[in-house]
Amino acid sequence: MTAEWWSIVAGAAAGILLLWIALIVALWFARPDELRIRDALRLLPDLVRLLRRLAADRTLPRGVRVRLWLLLVYLALPFDLVPDFIPVIGYADDAVIVAFALRSVTRRAGPAALDRHWPGTPDGLAAVRRLAGLPAAC
């Protein structure tokens, strides 16, 4: 009985480790090419304000707002999916997760929601639109 229990625990741990490795590989290949990490860090304060404003906008669908609040909670947590000591992707995992969330939000809420709530400069908005996979604003 004890040997069966340990084999189940070992199998579950191996499965979780494999999923984590797959996640790291997916994050490595999904990282934004045209937006450098330094640029993303400059955008961070405006991006957090944008996410907070979008999450508080009652005109957006509830599912979108819930996703945004979950993203804000994740960004506030002291730990990441990929530890920061891993070169390149250690710091880029937050940027990739934010990009996925922005793409999801713009598919449901539309790009006008980003434009309406963006608190920063037009150049910053252009970078956020690229991050979200949108064309430049006209």
Side-chain angles (χ1 to χ4, degrees):
M1 183 70 175
T2 304
E4 288 178 19
W5 185 79
W6 280 108
S7 65
I8 291 172
V9 170
I16 291 171
L17 179 65
L18 278 173
L19 284 173
W20 185 76
I21 290 171
L23 175 66
I24 289 177
V25 170
L27 287 172
W28 176 261
F29 286 112
R31 71 188 188 284
D33 291 332
E34 68 273 352
L35 190 64
R36 295 189 317 254
I37 292 175
R38 183 181 305 156
D39 296 333
L41 288 176
R42 273 190 236 136
L43 290 174
L44 187 62
D46 289 334
L47 197 53
V48 170
R49 278 192 297 256
L50 170 71
L51 295 173
R52 193 182 68 231
R53 288 178 181 182
L54 287 168
D57 185 354
R58 296 221 177 254
T59 64
L60 298 179
R62 174 179 250 157
V64 168
R65 290 183 287 134
V66 167
R67 267 182 257 152
L68 288 166
W69 281 114
L70 289 173
L71 174 64
L72 286 167
V73 168
Y74 170 76
L75 291 174
L77 290 175
F79 55 87
D80 291 339
L81 291 175
V82 180
D84 290 339
F85 63 82
I86 297 175
V88 182
I89 62 170
Y91 290 108
D93 67 330
D94 290 340
V96 171
I97 290 171
V98 168
F100 285 148
L102 282 175
R103 289 177 186 193
S104 171
V105 165
T106 55
R107 275 196 302 272
R108 290 285 315 264
L114 288 181
D115 298 342
R116 186 171 64 245
H117 291 290
W118 178 248
T121 65
D123 290 339
L125 178 59
V128 168
R129 288 179 68 89
R130 281 195 317 270
L131 188 65
L134 297 171
C138 298

